[in-house]
Amino acid sequence: MYQLDDTDRRLLLELDQDPRMTVLLLAQRTGLARGTVQARLERYRTEGVLRLGSTMVPPAALGYGLHATVSAELDQHQLDEAVEALRRIPEVLECHAPAGDIDLLCHVVARDPDDLYRVAEEIRLCPGITRTSTSVYLREVIGYRVRPLLRHGGGPRARTRRAPVR
Amino acid sequence: MYQLDDTDRRLLLELDQDPRMTVLLLAQRTGLARGTVQARLERYRTEGVLRLGSTMVPPAALGYGLHATVSAELDQHQLDEAVEALRRIPEVLECHAPAGDIDLLCHVVARDPDDLYRVAEEIRLCPGITRTSTSVYLREVIGYRVRPLLRHGGGPRARTRRAPVR
DNA sequence: GAGGCCTTGATCATATCGATCAGTCTTACA
DNA sequence: TGTAAGACTGATCGATATGATCAAGGCCTC
């Protein structure tokens, strides 16, 4: 994967505040030449550095005020099918496969408790999933963010130069 | 919180593919008038609908290839201090307070296992946190996403009209 | 020391931007 | 049922940013 250098981080930090910031303004704020900024932006597009889904919408603004984790045990032979099915459930925001006895951890949202029950059911019915357990989040203490990583992350181990692309 | 209507969703879906898409192009793709699109975009900015942190950078592109959950038990009296301290750790991407015996669940990233150990230690040293337990993610099955919610979420219960703003 | 890559700073014609206006439509409310 | 408020439209304007392109300079690897 394309590794971001310090120039990228500065650019992305600015973009993070306003993704639609003008190239000219970006150049000023980062102290780079306009052409450079343009080239980087172009590269982000072509290389797909920025994830599809670059627009962060808080789920609550869509009416999804309830967060929860659904942990699922599954038949290991059907992992791919299960994942494929989960991917089709919009309320599943994230899903991870942890080391340990639980096989999949899904971060889901729902409109209300009833809706959460429905979502949990949908997950339980995914192929290969044998059992689920739901844990409601009382509070979203820190919402998903990458910004601090851009700003402070790295430090001593930071690269000054981008690693070879290919 | 500002509730997004169907027009917003269409706009945001387009923006999601390319946050820097031209207003003119947005207007064409959504079938709206240019002025309307401009007004909405302006509103997103002023009302802060789009989260700060609108640029989604995959942590792996910053060198953080390891994902994990750190669950923490804490002295309930010091919740605020703990959260404040966690917020200062860049590697903490998200944090939730679930109902149940574990008090905080943090989604963290790290460069490698050693680095993860360091991050877990930092969390353990936060004020009020009495005990932590780390669970490594073998695989990020579904990365954080909101797009499907924009596209399919809602359905029968979708609002056709934005709820009163104030 | 040569070649490659990235950056810079400049230019150009074109397209977009933000602001503004009057007119129409919808919804909410009396 | 009529009126008022708000949202969307379609149009205009000048100012500005855009994308493309170029030659030149810097830094790296080989």
Side-chain angles (χ1 to χ4, degrees):
Chain A
M1 172 174 270
Y2 184 98
Q3 287 297 310
L4 303 167
D5 65 15
D6 201 61
T7 300
D8 292 314
R9 296 160 71 124
R10 273 190 294 159
L11 274 174
L12 291 172
L13 262 175
E14 294 300 329
L15 280 178
D16 183 81
Q17 291 194 301
D18 177 9
R20 300 183 58 79
M21 187 181 290
T22 268
V23 175
L24 222 52
L25 201 57
L26 274 173
Q28 288 174 13
R29 304 265 276 242
T30 55
L32 299 168
R34 192 174 72 100
T36 307
V37 174
Q38 226 158 268
R40 295 279 177 151
L41 290 183
E42 183 55 30
R43 187 153 58 195
Y44 299 155
R45 202 166 354 214
T46 59
E47 302 226 18
V49 177
L50 300 184
R51 262 203 226 160
L52 197 66
S54 293
T55 307
M56 297 259 287
V57 179
L62 290 168
Y64 294 84
L66 201 56
H67 289 252
T69 289
V70 176
S71 44
E73 291 178 37
L74 81 156
D75 176 3
Q76 302 279 4
H77 297 296
Q78 297 188 63
L79 175 63
D80 291 342
E81 292 93 323
V83 169
E84 193 46 47
L86 287 174
R87 213 181 283 279
R88 272 196 261 275
I89 304 177
E91 288 88 354
V92 175
L93 300 190
E94 295 179 277
C95 184
H96 295 269
D101 39 358
I102 290 167
D103 296 310
L104 288 177
L105 273 180
C106 302
H107 175 187
V108 306
V109 287
R111 296 179 176 282
D112 49 58
D114 269 357
D115 196 39
L116 178 57
Y117 184 81
R118 174 187 63 78
V119 173
E121 272 298 293
E122 277 195 42
I123 291 178
R124 198 178 58 76
L125 295 177
C126 287
I129 287 186
T130 56
R131 186 208 301 248
T132 65
S133 156
T134 303
S135 165
V136 177
Y137 287 154
L138 300 180
R139 196 172 140 200
E140 184 176 37
V141 175
I142 300 177
Y144 188 87
R145 61 178 196 174
V146 185
R147 184 176 176 76
L149 272 190
L150 281 171
R151 187 153 27 185
H152 303 295
R157 300 197 212 179
R159 294 139 187 69
T160 55
R161 196 75 192 158
R162 196 171 31 268
V165 175
R166 220 161 305 274
Chain B
M1 171 174 268
Y2 184 98
Q3 287 297 311
L4 302 167
D5 65 14
D6 202 60
T7 301
D8 292 314
R9 295 159 73 124
R10 273 190 295 159
L11 273 174
L12 290 171
L13 263 174
E14 294 298 330
L15 278 178
D16 185 81
Q17 291 193 302
D18 177 9
R20 300 182 59 79
M21 186 180 293
T22 268
V23 175
L24 220 53
L25 201 57
L26 274 173
Q28 288 174 11
R29 305 265 275 243
T30 56
L32 298 168
R34 191 174 73 98
T36 307
V37 173
Q38 226 158 266
R40 295 278 178 153
L41 290 183
E42 184 53 30
R43 188 152 57 195
Y44 299 157
R45 203 168 349 214
T46 60
E47 303 227 17
V49 176
L50 301 183
R51 262 203 227 161
L52 197 66
S54 294
T55 307
M56 296 260 289
V57 178
L62 289 168
Y64 294 85
L66 201 55
H67 289 252
T69 289
V70 176
S71 44
E73 292 178 34
L74 81 155
D75 175 2
Q76 301 279 4
H77 297 294
Q78 297 188 62
L79 175 63
D80 291 341
E81 292 92 322
V83 169
E84 193 45 48
L86 287 173
R87 213 181 283 278
R88 273 195 260 276
I89 303 177
E91 288 87 354
V92 174
L93 300 190
E94 293 179 279
C95 183
H96 294 269
D101 40 355
I102 289 165
D103 295 309
L104 288 176
L105 274 179
C106 301
H107 176 187
V108 307
V109 287
R111 297 179 176 283
D112 49 58
D114 268 356
D115 196 39
L116 177 56
Y117 183 80
R118 175 187 63 78
V119 173
E121 271 299 291
E122 278 195 43
I123 291 179
R124 198 178 58 75
L125 294 177
C126 287
I129 287 186
T130 56
R131 186 208 302 251
T132 66
S133 157
T134 303
S135 167
V136 177
Y137 288 153
L138 300 179
R139 195 173 142 198
E140 183 178 38
V141 174
I142 300 177
Y144 187 86
R145 60 177 195 173
V146 184
R147 186 177 175 76
L149 271 192
L150 280 172
R151 186 148 35 183
H152 303 295
R157 299 196 213 180
R159 293 139 186 69
T160 55
R161 196 70 193 163
R162 192 166 41 266
V165 173
R166 215 162 307 273

